[in-house]
Structure formats: structure tokens, C-alpha cells
Amino acid sequence: MKRPLVFIHGGATRFKEEFHNDIIKAVERAAKIGFCTLERGGSGLDAAEAAIRSLEATTLFTAGKGAEPNLIGDVELDSMIMDGNRLESGAVMAVKGITHPISLARYVLERTPVMQIAGDSASWLYRQMIDEGYRDEEFSGDTKGPSISEGCDTVGCIVVDKLGRITSASSTSGWRGKLPGRVGDSAIIGAGVYANEVAGASCTGKGEQILRIVMGRMAVYYVEEGFSVVDSCNKIMRVLREKTTGQAGLIMADKNGNVGLGFDTPHMPIAIANNGKVIYSSMAPHDFVEAQPI
Ligand code: GLY
């Protein structure tokens, strides 16, 4: 049995070399945190939220405390979390003044009748979430300064619990200098994130390219059609290359705990936790498909 597992990515981009060590440690830590959450009886949503929060809490990625400002210097965050078995998701878009949009996305999923909420309304909902005591307040209030990567290093994860139920999630600020109000793929169901009872995907990289091919949903659809997750990743990466200018990647897992990935950028840091430990991590997992670590 290959599940339960927690599969983390830290974005598809090029990272400056001096940060590689810290980045690998951060994705490994997130995978462990997610896995421990499951082992302690937490749900897939608990594990995905905990793992993403740990990445948002670093300044290493364009998410949470590491968020990049938009054209006018504001930080606007997008995030989504999806429970595959229930086809329920929550997403927040262009939300300002918070550190952990993943928790607000989960609040949208669990405590509201809607699936997506944007801008000032998301900030208003954040206040309600804090007032209700759903999560503690934690403002970032600042940005990380000089970028340590080029492009968009969204963070994401997929959790497969012991019963094969899949949760997918993502969190990002999008790229430095984006138009105010711009929403990328990460909070759009089926683009940056998708999960159902068969498989899950979490995408990263140039949101506009990911959106054009509805990357997450299509990759999961290929699994439904009988392709393995590895073949589905290869197939959607071919579509990305043929139909768009690329610069993106994805991670996938199916209900049996099979995993796959694809990326066309120099780096896409990943870590996988299974059996209580990190069983694979890499800054640029080109050898991953051949290695099939689990
Ligand atoms: N993939 C993150 C973004 O484009 O916003």
C-alpha cells in the first residue's frame, strides 16, 4: 500500500543556487508536517492546510510571507483547497493583508455557501474568520525584499489519506509586478488545483498558460480515462508545450498513492512523505519518473 502520502511542490521556476538547501528543507518539512497531521488522525484538509501554512510561513516562496508585490506595491494573494471525494473547494483571490490565505480558503469551503471569494470581500471574510476564532490572526504586513527566484514559485500539495481520499491545494501571490486585481490559476478550480475521487493535481508556474489549458482538470481527466498519473503528467506537459509558451509544472497523485509530475522550468522543488518519513526530495526532479520512488 502506497498511501497515505503527502506530496509537496515549491513552484516551477529558477531559484538562486544559494537558497536551494533552504528550499529543500522547507518542502521536506512541509511534507513531514502534513504527514504527521494525518498520522495524528487529522483529515486530508487538515494535512494540506498545515503543510501549506508551513510553506507560507517562510520567505522562500512567492506565497504567504514571501509574497511578491503587484505593480502598485500591494500584495494580493490567491489560494485554493479542494476535497476530491466531496468535490468541495474553497478559494480566495487577490486578498490583501493576510499571511495564510490557505486557511481562509478552507474557511470558505467549510463555513460559507460559496466556493470562491475575491478582493475586499475576502479581506472582510478574513475578519469574520478571526472573530469566530476559526484561526488565529497573523498578519505579514511586509514583503520579502529582493526575489530569490525568477517567475512564479507558487506552493502546492496533494494529500492522499489512508482510504485513498485526495485533497489538493495551492497558495501564491503570483508574479512580482502583476496587474492589481490579477488572478492567476492557483485559485481557479480546474486550472491550478483539482481533485476528485480518482486523482488530484496541483499546478505551478505561469498562471496564464496554465489557465489556457485548464491544466489541473485535464490532467485528472486523463487518469479517469485510464492513463497512469505518470502518463497523464507527460500528456498534459505535451499539451502545455504545444499550445502555450509553457513555464509551468504540476504534481499529481491518484487514489492508490501513485504519483507523477512534470515541469519545463529549471527547478521545481518537491518532497514526498510516506510511511512517516520523507522518501524523496529534489530541486529539479528530472530523474523522478525513472526512479519512481514509491
Ligand atoms: N501560478 C501562479 C500564478 O500564476 O499566479
Side-chain angles (χ1 to χ4, degrees):
M1 188 66 66
K2 296 172 179 176
R3 58 187 197 224
L5 67 86
V6 177
F7 193 173
I8 302 289
H9 76 72
T13 184
R14 179 193 296 279
F15 289 93
K16 290 183 183 160
E17 203 165 332
E18 62 263 38
F19 295 102
H20 287 192
N21 208 20
D22 290 345
I23 287 164
I24 282 295
K25 279 197 203 136
V27 290
E28 287 184 347
R29 185 165 175 273
K32 277 191 226 152
I33 286 171
F35 199 87
C36 287
T37 306
L38 283 179
E39 275 191 325
R40 290 193 199 114
S43 65
L45 289 172
D46 291 333
E49 182 188 357
I52 296 283
R53 279 181 73 102
S54 83
L55 297 166
E56 289 172 337
T58 77
T59 55
L60 295 166
F61 309 98
T62 52
K65 288 186 176 167
E68 297 280 10
N70 66 17
L71 194 61
I72 56 171
D74 290 338
V75 170
E76 295 182 330
L77 304 175
D78 300 339
S79 182
M80 177 172 168
I81 189 163
M82 181 156 191
D83 174 340
N85 263 60
R86 292 190 294 143
L87 285 186
E88 292 285 358
S89 63
V92 293
M93 302 164 186
V95 58
K96 292 186 200 168
I98 75 174
T99 302
H100 296 296
I102 189 67
S103 296
L104 185 58
R106 185 171 174 188
Y107 181 81
V108 171
L109 190 166
E110 292 192 318
R111 299 282 176 93
T112 77
V114 303
M115 286 166 80
Q116 314 184 137
I117 191 152
D120 291 344
S121 302
S123 302
W124 169 84
L125 194 68
Y126 176 78
R127 295 273 12 126
Q128 181 172 308
M129 177 184 95
I130 298 299
D131 291 349
E132 261 180 34
Y134 183 83
R135 295 290 178 273
D136 289 339
E137 183 155 30
E138 198 181 337
F139 282 105
S140 141
D142 52 23
T143 58
K144 68 181 176 185
S147 299
I148 62 170
S149 65
E150 57 189 46
C152 223
D153 34 325
T154 305
V155 298
C157 85
I158 303 175
V159 176
V160 185
D161 74 9
K162 65 180 180 206
L163 297 177
R165 295 173 301 205
I166 303 159
T167 306
S168 293
S170 189
S171 180
T172 192
S173 66
W175 26 280
R176 179 178 278 254
K178 68 182 182 181
L179 277 178
R182 176 261 187 190
V183 175
D185 61 295
S186 303
I188 303 291
I189 186 170
V193 172
Y194 195 74
N196 60 19
E197 75 288 1
V198 175
S202 179
C203 306
T204 172
K206 287 274 161 60
E208 282 67 18
Q209 310 310 326
I210 294 167
L211 283 159
R212 290 169 77 193
I213 60 168
V214 200
M215 193 169 182
R217 179 62 184 107
M218 285 310 294
V220 169
Y221 174 71
Y222 298 148
V223 181
E224 290 172 71
E225 288 295 287
F227 289 93
S228 69
V229 277
V230 169
D231 288 344
S232 300
C233 287
N234 291 338
K235 205 167 150 63
I236 198 69
M237 288 306 294
R238 239 186 346 263
V239 175
L240 183 83
R241 274 194 302 277
E242 286 169 8
K243 305 274 188 200
T244 79
T245 55
Q247 297 296 294
L250 81 164
I251 60 171
M252 288 195 81
D254 70 14
K255 64 181 178 186
N256 297 316
N258 299 302
V259 290
L261 63 82
F263 62 108
D264 67 354
T265 46
H267 304 123
M268 187 174 79
I270 64 158
I272 303 172
N274 171 252
N275 279 335
K277 58 182 186 300
V278 173
I279 53 154
Y280 183 87
S281 64
S282 174
M283 274 305 290
H286 293 291
D287 64 340
F288 180 81
V289 172
E290 294 82 35
Q292 275 300 298
I294 55 177

